[in-house]
Amino acid sequence: MRVEEVLSNLGMTPTTAVTMLFKRIVVTDSYPVDLTLTDREKTTNELMNTVEKFPVNKINSKEEALNWLEEDE
């Protein structure tokens, strides 16, 4: 899992990271992580939502592929 690799590189275990997070929540009386999306994340989400709306045609043969390429839309 990627998170374990990152934490290991920081010299921490998942348990240590969670414990530190909980202690920080108590000290600051808030959640210490910004949960807003970056502009890039917003754009990526918008793109993925748009792409999901495109129709998908399954092509099972070379003939079907050639016919699809020749279609005028």
Side-chain angles (χ1 to χ4, degrees):
M1 181 181 259
R2 177 87 174 112
V3 71
E4 290 172 346
E5 179 184 337
V6 172
L7 290 174
S8 177
N9 289 337
L10 295 169
M12 298 171 30
T13 65
T15 301
T16 305
V18 171
T19 300
M20 290 176 66
L21 172 63
F22 284 7
K23 287 181 178 184
R24 192 73 186 153
I25 289 170
V26 170
V27 168
T28 63
D29 200 27
S30 67
Y31 194 77
V33 177
D34 183 6
L35 297 177
T36 58
L37 297 175
T38 65
D39 287 340
R40 182 179 183 146
E41 290 168 325
K42 290 176 189 176
T43 301
T44 299
N45 286 345
E46 187 178 324
L47 175 62
M48 294 305 294
N49 289 333
T50 301
V51 168
E52 287 176 359
K53 294 175 186 174
F54 285 120
V56 176
N57 298 323
K58 187 173 182 180
I59 297 175
N60 297 308
S61 67
K62 181 179 177 179
E63 243 179 34
E64 287 180 12
L66 293 172
N67 287 338
W68 180 78
L69 289 170
E70 291 175 358
E71 286 179 5
D72 289 329
E73 286 193 44

